[in-house]
Amino acid sequence: MEESLISRCKELLMLEERDPNGYSPLVLAYLGDAVYELVIRTRVVNRGNTQVNKMHRMTAGLVKAEAQAKMYMLLEEELTEEEQAVYRRGRNAKSATMAKHATMRDYRMATGFEALMGWLYLNGRLERLTELVSLGLKKMGEL
């Protein structure tokens, strides 16, 4: 089911085949930021109807750099060598900007985590992506 959905999206959007390893770590983080936020928003919305402002605050608390850095630290031992290498590429990438309310350490760790999320998504590994996020949320006491 998962692979056919990804294949169907590629077909309908007329996407070219590209190797996810060919993207810069900041491009992977750019996409991973959106993918991770969508997963978190899906979880927040699934808790039931509530005021959108409250949902936004719950989501923001889990997608900010500090929370992403914490999630990575809780997941680090669960990652494969390949996943750790993608994370390190993202963490070590030189960005021209920095989050307003984050330490440099948290920001870099979050960028690495987002790069991993983007890489998993582009590789069609949605099950692994959601498995990691689920495990991280459990370890953070959010599930």
Side-chain angles (χ1 to χ4, degrees):
M1 174 76 170
E2 181 178 316
E3 188 58 42
S4 64
L5 174 62
I6 292 169
S7 296
R8 190 74 175 129
C9 286
K10 287 179 180 178
E11 178 186 331
L12 292 171
L13 297 173
M14 296 185 279
L15 301 178
E16 296 176 22
E17 275 301 317
R18 294 190 186 256
D19 179 8
N21 294 318
Y23 287 105
S24 80
L26 293 178
V27 169
L28 293 174
Y30 169 76
L31 183 59
D33 176 54
V35 170
Y36 176 70
E37 183 157 348
L38 181 59
V39 170
I40 295 301
R41 284 184 181 213
T42 301
R43 171 72 179 134
V44 168
V45 166
N46 185 256
R47 290 182 173 174
N49 281 330
T50 188
Q51 295 173 335
V52 174
N53 189 33
K54 287 182 183 178
M55 287 190 281
H56 174 72
R57 283 196 308 271
M58 283 188 268
T59 299
L62 292 170
V63 300
K64 64 184 178 180
E66 180 184 357
Q68 289 180 6
K70 180 179 179 182
M71 185 174 287
Y72 169 75
M73 288 186 287
L74 294 170
L75 292 173
E76 185 175 16
E77 63 190 29
E78 306 293 332
L79 300 179
T80 66
E81 287 183 29
E82 187 176 29
E83 291 166 346
Q84 289 175 359
V86 172
Y87 163 80
R88 282 191 302 273
R89 281 183 57 218
R91 181 199 62 203
N92 295 335
K94 302 298 181 223
S95 174
T97 62
M98 189 179 123
K100 294 178 197 172
H101 305 290
T103 65
M104 180 59 82
R105 179 179 180 268
D106 284 350
Y107 183 71
R108 290 196 183 267
M109 289 179 76
T111 302
F113 179 75
E114 290 170 346
L116 175 59
M117 295 291 104
W119 181 82
L120 288 169
Y121 175 78
L122 287 173
N123 275 296
R125 299 189 57 207
L126 302 180
E127 187 173 336
R128 177 64 174 159
L129 188 153
T130 52
E131 175 186 305
L132 287 173
V133 173
S134 173
L135 182 58
L137 290 172
K138 285 177 188 166
K139 288 185 173 194
M140 291 171 77
E142 295 291 337
L143 265 186

